Amino acid sequence: MDATSLKNSAITLRNAIIPILLALQAVLMPAPAKAEDYLQCVPFARELSGIRIYGDAHSWWDQAAGVYQRGAMPVEGAVLSLPSHGAMELGHVAVVRKIIDNRTILISHANWSPINGRRGQIERRVAARDVSAANDWSLVRIWYAPIGELGTTAFPVNGFIYPVPPSKKASRQWASSKPQRDNRSPNRSLFDRNLTAELAQVADQERPAGGESRDLIGELLDRVGS
């Protein structure tokens, strides 16, 4: 076999092996998660609370109308709903874990404080304080890890979404841009099934392994909005 034939054979063999090597690399050495693949507040709040609402956090309050009870007072297991505010264009949702007093609660949420320079982290049982003049939970300050205390910004609050259906079957309705606040508190015993434990798949880690979502349909809806 002459030199030209040997060279052509080597090229053919190389071209055949490269795809196999690339496939093995993809399996054995997956690419690191991209910066935008951090855990968002929405899927974490949905799985922890059991409230099956999808889409950006700012849309949760209106979506809950007629589907879940809503109110102005915190209850353990309820979702604290924040509208878009300033640079927080997508709003925010967090789950109430404990009532400390009439001004202070502990919440668990994701993608609020950057921790060790990384976004998308889970914070468990951190403080949120009502700073409204009327003590009606319409304005809150939330624990911010980089400064080790409550943040300096007071955020407006839509209210709290409770993980139980309305007491009466409601017909389909469109929520107004400024929905009426409902001060009725639901029966706390109805939350027991949702408060037995932290989610097993997120309790021991700060983010899903490999940045993969456990709810692919929900993750897609979260990305495209409601």
Side-chain angles (χ1 to χ4, degrees):
M1 181 178 292
D2 58 26
T4 301
S5 298
L6 287 173
K7 182 178 180 180
N8 291 337
S9 297
I11 293 174
T12 300
L13 180 61
R14 182 197 65 185
N15 292 340
I17 291 176
I18 286 177
I20 297 175
L21 294 177
L22 290 175
L24 289 174
Q25 181 184 28
V27 173
L28 300 177
M29 301 176 62
K34 298 179 181 178
E36 63 268 22
D37 285 338
Y38 48 77
L39 181 62
Q40 298 281 4
C41 65
V42 164
F44 180 75
R46 180 170 57 239
E47 294 194 36
L48 187 57
S49 68
I51 292 177
R52 310 314 292 177
I53 296 179
Y54 298 84
D56 292 335
H58 68 80
S59 72
W60 275 44
W61 184 255
D62 286 354
Q63 288 195 67
V67 180
Y68 295 98
Q69 289 184 19
R70 304 182 301 174
M73 293 295 103
V75 171
E76 291 180 6
V79 168
L80 169 65
S81 169
L82 306 184
S84 302
H85 179 71
M88 190 178 67
E89 297 179 356
L90 299 181
H92 188 71
V93 285
V95 180
V96 180
R97 304 305 283 145
K98 187 176 182 179
I99 309 296
I100 302 300
D101 54 42
N102 66 344
R103 285 279 190 177
T104 309
I105 59 176
L106 298 183
I107 60 174
S108 291
H109 59 164
N111 196 30
W112 184 262
S113 299
I115 300 175
N116 296 325
R118 296 167 55 217
R119 297 183 63 190
Q121 307 305 297
I122 292 172
E123 295 177 90
R124 297 181 178 86
R125 298 178 183 271
V126 295
R129 183 168 179 79
D130 170 32
V131 293
S132 63
N135 187 200
D136 60 359
W137 287 93
S138 59
L139 205 63
V140 299
R141 291 170 60 199
I142 296 176
W143 179 268
Y144 193 59
I147 62 175
E149 59 185 38
L150 292 174
T152 58
T153 301
F155 291 90
V157 176
N158 288 321
F160 296 87
I161 303 171
Y162 310 118
V164 290
S167 56
K168 294 182 179 180
K169 186 175 181 181
S171 58
R172 182 177 179 86
Q173 58 180 291
W174 297 100
S176 64
S177 58
K178 295 182 179 180
Q180 182 178 359
R181 296 171 67 84
D182 183 355
N183 291 305
R184 295 175 299 173
S185 295
N187 188 338
R188 292 189 183 212
S189 65
L190 296 175
F191 299 132
D192 288 346
R193 69 181 62 185
N194 292 317
L195 299 176
T196 55
E198 293 277 347
L199 296 172
Q201 291 184 328
V202 300
D204 297 325
Q205 58 186 11
E206 291 182 332
R207 55 179 297 169
E212 295 180 357
S213 170
R214 291 176 299 279
D215 185 349
L216 297 180
I217 295 177
E219 181 67 18
L220 176 61
L221 289 171
D222 293 337
R223 289 181 181 274
V224 301
S226 59

